[in-house]
Amino acid sequence: MKIAIKNLEGKNQGELEVKFAMIENGRGTQAVHDTVVAYRAAQRSGTACTKNVGEVAGSNKKPWRQKGTGRARAGSNQSPLWPGGGVVFGPRPRDFSKKVSKKTKQLSLRKALSERLKAGDVVIVDDLKLKSLKTKDFVGVISALELKGSMLVVSSGIDKNLTLAARNIEKVTLTTSDSLNTYDVLRPDKLLFTKGAFEKVEARLATE
């Protein structure tokens, strides 16, 4: 499969042959599901916490004597039955992360990228070096490339001008070719790669 390479003015600058083996059938669907579930689970902080009876502040003194008051028996102010008392089986800090093998992650990324390429959602530019850090310069690039909706920009490395120019644009996120994952590929409407970034991703997917 070949993809057109454009410059920042939106003009064609040749074609790029996709070097990694694209997935044409239903293979990899489960890998994509497992990887996305694991990614989203890892984003959960898992810091919700409640105090049990032993952790609630208060003395161990019996609130009143066992008999003769007419009230129900009580042995502690920290009882779960009392307001401000301990919580029974409440949430505790935990790790929600799931393990996914390296091979599964690679297969899922290949599957996701293959589907986006076949759908025509991938745009490649020869370079994405901006002359300044002004947002209007990057907006001009987006207009020239006729990109609309949410977008992920993938560069081969961190670029200060690009980072500062794109940070105020709604629905535009940045990442590098080394950090690209399956969830990043699936989420936006369009994927904007630099030629160098796409070649680095191809190198990641070259071996199975």
Side-chain angles (χ1 to χ4, degrees):
M1 182 178 182
K2 293 184 178 180
I3 314 172
I5 301 176
K6 299 183 179 182
N7 60 16
L8 298 185
E9 286 76 38
K11 297 178 181 178
N12 288 335
Q13 300 292 305
E15 291 183 330
L16 179 69
E17 182 74 34
V18 178
K19 295 184 177 64
F20 69 89
M22 293 179 60
I23 301 176
E24 301 291 343
N25 51 30
R27 178 171 173 255
T29 303
Q30 186 63 44
V32 171
H33 176 269
D34 293 344
T35 304
V36 171
V37 168
Y39 176 85
R40 297 195 67 181
Q43 306 308 303
R44 299 181 67 177
S45 60
T47 54
C49 183
T50 53
K51 292 183 179 181
N52 58 31
V53 174
E55 295 171 328
V56 174
S59 71
N60 290 325
K61 181 182 177 182
K62 192 172 174 65
W64 50 77
R65 67 179 187 269
Q66 183 80 346
K67 292 179 178 290
T69 64
R71 289 179 288 186
R73 293 170 292 185
S76 170
N77 291 326
Q78 296 99 320
S79 169
L81 303 177
W82 284 40
V87 177
V88 181
F89 303 128
R92 307 295 291 180
R94 55 172 290 193
D95 181 12
F96 286 95
S97 63
K98 301 175 184 290
K99 289 185 178 180
V100 178
S101 69
K102 185 177 179 181
K103 214 169 185 182
T104 301
K105 289 180 181 178
Q106 190 178 48
L107 175 61
S108 68
L109 181 58
R110 224 163 36 95
K111 172 68 173 177
L113 194 54
S114 296
E115 294 299 323
R116 298 311 300 267
L117 284 166
K118 287 187 285 185
D121 296 330
V122 177
V123 178
I124 299 179
V125 292
D126 53 358
D127 197 6
L128 202 51
K129 294 288 184 182
L130 301 179
K131 296 179 180 178
S132 70
L133 47 79
K134 293 182 178 180
T135 300
K136 69 177 183 180
D137 290 346
F138 188 62
V139 171
V141 172
I142 294 175
S143 298
L145 295 172
E146 298 180 351
L147 297 175
K148 296 180 181 179
S150 59
M151 178 174 56
L152 176 70
V153 180
V154 187
S155 58
S156 54
I158 298 174
D159 184 278
K160 183 180 179 181
N161 281 355
L162 180 61
T163 302
L164 294 175
R167 66 180 179 179
N168 288 330
I169 304 177
E170 188 180 7
K171 297 182 180 179
V172 172
T173 54
L174 271 65
T175 190
T176 62
S177 52
D178 295 330
S179 302
L180 185 69
N181 58 61
T182 304
Y183 186 72
D184 289 338
V185 172
L186 296 175
R187 193 175 184 188
D189 295 323
K190 294 290 182 179
L191 300 170
L192 177 61
F193 284 84
T194 62
K195 183 173 179 289
F198 192 82
E199 289 173 344
K200 282 188 175 182
V201 173
E202 282 185 318
R204 284 176 56 187
L205 302 176
T207 56
E208 194 172 344

